[in-house]
Amino acid sequence: MYVDVHTHLTHEAFAADQSAVIERAILAGVSAIVVNGLDPVSNRQVLAMAERFSAVKPALGIYPVDAVCGLLPTDFPLKVEVFDVDAEIDFIASNAQAGRLAAIGECGLDGHWLAADTFAEQERVFGRLIDVAQTYDLPLIIHTRKLEQRAIDILRERKVKKVNFHCFGGRTKLAQVCAESDGWYFSIPANATVNEAFRKMLTTLPVERILTETDAPYLPPRKGERNEPANVVGTIDILAHQRGWSHEQAAKQVWSNYQDLFGKRWSL
Ligand SMILES: [Zn+2]
């Protein structure tokens, strides 16, 4: 059994064949596809998708860029809808309370797209989402870009236990320390085929802290392709090769890690 803990099947790249993509993943043995929301529209789509497919495990969140939608300059390079961020956090909390969510995410801090004048508001929104995760004992799926250390400081200060860093771009050494001493998880994307840092993480992180993800449609294993959840199987091949394990042994380890972080209910 395989798991993709971070994917965006609500993306328009899947509009025409979303069901076929999910069926292909299930056929490949991917039993859990954690679809992550980013904003009000995708959060509602994630919930609807989870109603239709039992393999889809819903995570609702607010992407750091969307978290500061009201503060962006008019020439901001990405298209971002303005919405009531606090009302959306309340919506996420009510779904968490109803027991509908496998995780909170994607959420976190971004210093690549966003300037320093947004950092305080980013941290306020991140803090509220951490509150929701802690109140309902859910894992947090974290995006950080350039602000890895700050995100780590906040999570430590708040004593957050259930954490997965998705597509971690900070130093491998830093990931190592967090995995070893904080007990946090790191999901490795399918582009570990071409990314040296991710292959290094597959080789050196504590085995019980490794998860697989795709971030589909982004980060494909081969340049130019559209990524999809079935591609986590290739990451298991790399993990097995790096560690000198059988494919089955690697798959079993990652599935057991997923069970540990997400709990029985989302891994049956
Ligand atoms: Zn993502």
Side-chain angles (χ1 to χ4, degrees):
M1 294 215 269
Y2 305 101
V3 59
D4 180 352
V5 295
H6 186 92
T7 185
H8 298 289
L9 296 182
T10 56
H11 192 280
E12 58 188 12
F14 296 109
D17 63 345
Q18 190 187 82
S19 305
V21 169
I22 293 170
E23 275 154 30
R24 200 148 53 229
I26 293 168
L27 266 176
V30 185
S31 319
I33 306 167
V34 185
V35 182
N36 286 229
L38 304 160
D39 58 17
V41 173
S42 57
N43 281 336
R44 281 149 192 79
Q45 289 171 339
V46 169
L47 290 172
M49 214 179 284
E51 293 270 314
R52 285 183 58 208
F53 300 94
S54 64
V56 168
K57 318 297 181 190
L60 302 193
I62 301 176
Y63 192 65
V65 171
D66 297 272
V68 294
C69 56
L71 301 178
L72 299 174
T74 44
D75 60 349
F76 191 69
L78 306 178
K79 193 176 147 264
V80 180
E81 297 287 338
V82 176
F83 62 95
D84 183 337
V85 173
D86 284 286
E88 189 60 14
I89 298 169
D90 295 341
F91 174 78
I92 293 169
S94 70
N95 279 284
Q97 185 176 27
R100 286 190 202 108
L101 305 187
I104 300 298
E106 127 170 46
C107 61
L109 302 176
D110 190 297
H112 170 78
W113 292 109
L114 300 169
D117 62 355
T118 67
F119 289 178
E121 179 63 1
Q122 284 197 61
E123 289 187 14
R124 188 189 72 82
V125 174
F126 186 37
R128 280 206 65 196
L129 290 168
I130 292 173
D131 282 340
V132 176
Q134 288 191 302
T135 303
Y136 300 104
D137 196 27
L138 293 169
L140 276 159
I141 300 173
I142 311 281
H143 162 110
T144 55
R145 221 167 152 187
K146 300 240 168 95
L147 293 172
E148 287 83 6
Q149 188 60 56
R150 182 64 191 141
I152 288 165
D153 291 345
I154 291 171
L155 291 163
R156 280 185 183 149
E157 217 168 90
R158 305 280 301 263
K159 299 187 169 40
V160 187
K161 292 267 172 290
K162 295 187 176 180
V163 172
N164 176 58
F165 281 93
H166 119 79
C167 186
F168 188 75
R171 283 178 302 113
T172 317
K173 259 256 160 303
L174 187 57
Q176 190 81 21
V177 170
C178 293
E180 280 168 3
S181 44
D182 300 283
W184 296 338
Y185 293 75
F186 289 82
S187 54
I188 310 300
N191 71 345
T193 46
V194 291
N195 183 304
E196 193 58 50
F198 290 141
R199 269 208 303 283
K200 190 169 174 206
M201 287 168 78
L202 286 173
T203 314
T204 58
L205 285 181
V207 290
E208 65 279 6
R209 295 291 173 253
I210 293 174
L211 292 167
T212 46
E213 67 157 278
T214 59
D215 203 22
Y218 310 109
L219 311 180
R222 286 157 298 272
K223 244 192 157 163
E225 285 179 8
R226 179 188 67 170
N227 202 2
E228 61 175 70
N231 287 331
V232 295
V233 180
T235 314
I236 294 295
D237 277 331
I238 301 173
L239 175 63
H241 177 261
Q242 301 289 88
R243 303 265 177 171
W245 295 347
S246 69
H247 182 93
E248 289 66 32
Q249 192 180 356
K252 215 172 147 191
Q253 178 68 55
V254 171
W255 183 259
S256 146
N257 299 345
Y258 168 67
Q259 277 185 318
D260 287 344
L261 181 60
F262 284 74
K264 275 248 158 346
R265 184 179 156 210
W266 300 102
S267 50
L268 288 174

